[in-house]
Amino acid sequence: MIQSIVRGGAAGAAGTTVLNAVTYADMAWRGRGGSDVPAQVVDRLTDHAGHPVPGAGDTRDNRLTGLGALSGIAVGCGVGAAVSLLRRAGVRMPVWLGGAVTGVLAMAATDLPIARLEVSDPAEWSGADWASDAVPHLAYGLITYALVAAADPRG
């Protein structure tokens, strides 16, 4: 079981790298800025937990930015590990379907807290906003699931 978790975490890390590359390519292509949503989510979560991020001004903002990025990596690795455990339990899909499902799981793991913490309301997002979220997550899912499937010793 530990090997499945490690394989899935590594696959999720690779998928996260692809997600970031697709996101940064979109930013470069359209000339759009980066999102501060991950930092806002961390800010709200730590406040709700009673342990707000320390510091003031730029120091605090930089900590939140770093923690937001790290939380994305953690989600990516965690979803990869979960998908690998599901595969170990017998849930096997073709790569195209498993990739789409994995992408949707990762997207839900990020978008549900955004909505629940009222950082943003996905119901108000434009088509371009949804595409900016869905396309990188689909790329993440395809790479992550393909690597999980390829690394499965049982085929």
Side-chain angles (χ1 to χ4, degrees):
M1 183 163 93
I2 297 298
Q3 289 178 341
S4 291
I5 293 169
V6 170
R7 281 193 300 267
T16 300
T17 300
V18 170
L19 180 145
N20 288 335
V22 171
T23 299
Y24 295 141
D26 177 52
M27 290 167 60
W29 179 259
R30 294 193 298 148
R32 70 175 179 87
S35 175
D36 65 345
V37 168
Q40 290 180 44
V41 169
V42 168
D43 191 24
R44 299 243 175 115
L45 283 173
T46 57
D47 281 349
H48 286 343
H51 298 285
V53 174
D58 286 344
T59 300
R60 185 170 188 278
D61 291 345
N62 293 338
R63 284 185 177 131
L64 288 169
T65 298
L67 290 168
L70 288 170
S71 70
I73 294 168
V75 167
C77 292
V79 169
V83 167
S84 184
L85 287 172
L86 287 171
R87 186 168 175 87
R88 182 178 192 269
V91 179
R92 289 178 171 75
M93 296 172 266
V95 170
W96 66 269
L97 179 59
V101 169
T102 301
V104 167
L105 287 173
M107 199 164 152
T110 57
D111 291 351
L112 290 174
I114 289 169
R116 179 77 171 121
L117 294 167
E118 298 178 349
V119 170
S120 181
D121 183 359
E124 296 177 3
W125 291 358
S126 68
D129 294 334
W130 276 105
S132 293
D133 196 37
V135 171
H137 281 99
L138 179 59
Y140 162 86
L142 289 170
I143 293 301
T144 300
Y145 192 80
L147 290 173
V148 163
D152 187 349
R154 292 171 295 211

